[in-house]
Amino acid sequence: HSALTQPPSASGSPGQSVTISCTGTSSDVGGYNFVSWYQQYPGKAPKLMIYEVSKRPSGVPDRFSGSKSGNTASLTVSGLQAEDEADYYCSSFAGSKNGALFGGGTKLTVL
Amino acid sequence: EVQLLESGGGLVQPGGSLRLSCAASGFTFSSYAMSWVRQASGKGLEWVSVIYSGATPTYYADSVKGRFTISRDNSKNTLYLQMDSLRAEDTAVYYCANTQGAAGPFYFDHWGQGTLVTVSS
């Protein structure tokens, strides 16, 4: 099973919105509503930002939202802030025996 | 507060073995599935293995199947990863993560800080 496909980079100015895509197949992203998104700062552990496509854990700002259409999931960050500059990874369940797949990561730059 | 603390990383020669541990606190460890996820330097995340609350079932990524063994000791709130026949491509930071999912690793809601494994001669 191949990794999910994300753009290597994305950027936006403070206050703007940016959307990061995550493309898989019908065996992972398209087959299950178990897409999650993680934020990672350099040298730090990943942090769960979105789970089950569009749900936010407690404490995650509502500026972060998730969606899915077919085999592609998306993370939208609205009202960009400087602290949002980080790497973002998508993940999808790919069946019990195949476990979880991750995307290659997207570096979000706040201009 | 959930805390996960990995240990056991280090430098090992190709073909060698290493056992990682992850000490958990702040939640009912025995009720949750746990996973290992790794990240090579400058690269993305790669799911490695998952173990369910009762120690079975266990699942592995194809890249480590037959070489790595995940286990847990619920009496000690500790997760393990026994890594044998190590290869240079196993070099990475290894994270343990609290895992949600009844039929597989759906998502990872808490992560440790990671332990570095370097496979080199």
Side-chain angles (χ1 to χ4, degrees):
Chain A
H1 284 252
S2 300
L4 308 176
T5 300
Q6 297 181 237
S9 63
S11 62
S13 299
Q16 289 186 333
S17 293
V18 65
T19 297
I20 299 170
S21 63
C22 170
T23 301
T25 70
S26 58
S27 296
D28 37 74
V29 174
Y32 305 95
N33 287 323
F34 295 118
V35 175
S36 51
W37 290 89
Y38 303 86
Q39 177 190 64
Q40 187 180 35
Y41 294 114
K44 300 297 186 181
K47 175 187 175 183
L48 178 67
M49 302 300 283
I50 296 288
Y51 67 100
E52 293 178 5
V53 176
S54 60
K55 298 178 181 178
R56 273 189 315 276
S58 174
V60 172
D62 60 7
R63 302 185 295 103
F64 291 84
S65 62
S67 63
K68 189 184 86 167
S69 178
N71 296 337
T72 298
S74 298
L75 172 72
T76 298
V77 186
S78 305
L80 271 175
Q81 298 183 4
E83 67 209 49
D84 299 332
E85 186 163 295
D87 293 326
Y88 291 85
Y89 293 90
C90 65
S91 178
S92 175
F93 179 59
S96 297
K97 294 184 178 180
N98 296 314
L101 294 177
F102 283 94
T106 298
K107 182 176 181 58
L108 176 60
T109 301
V110 181
L111 302 171
Chain B
E1 179 191 3
V2 173
Q3 290 196 338
L4 298 168
L5 183 61
E6 302 94 337
S7 61
L11 175 63
V12 60
Q13 292 188 339
S17 298
L18 210 56
R19 188 174 88 153
L20 306 183
S21 299
C22 171
S25 60
F27 66 105
T28 305
F29 178 76
S30 60
S31 296
Y32 288 89
M34 297 292 296
S35 292
W36 290 98
V37 178
R38 68 184 181 184
Q39 185 173 34
S41 180
K43 303 295 185 182
L45 300 167
E46 180 188 15
W47 172 77
V48 171
S49 182
V50 63
I51 184 168
Y52 284 84
S53 58
T56 59
T58 59
Y59 297 109
Y60 300 89
D62 288 344
S63 57
V64 306
K65 201 172 294 183
R67 300 187 298 121
F68 289 11
T69 303
I70 191 171
S71 63
R72 64 191 297 159
D73 185 337
N74 287 341
S75 69
K76 296 182 178 179
N77 290 349
T78 302
L79 173 72
Y80 302 101
L81 186 67
Q82 177 67 40
M83 303 186 295
D84 297 321
S85 303
L86 281 161
R87 306 168 180 168
E89 55 264 38
D90 296 318
T91 295
V93 173
Y94 285 73
Y95 295 101
C96 67
N98 191 340
T99 303
Q100 299 295 336
F106 295 166
Y107 61 92
F108 312 98
D109 52 359
H110 294 95
W111 298 64
Q113 286 306 301
T115 187
L116 176 62
V117 172
T118 303
V119 184
S120 175
S121 54

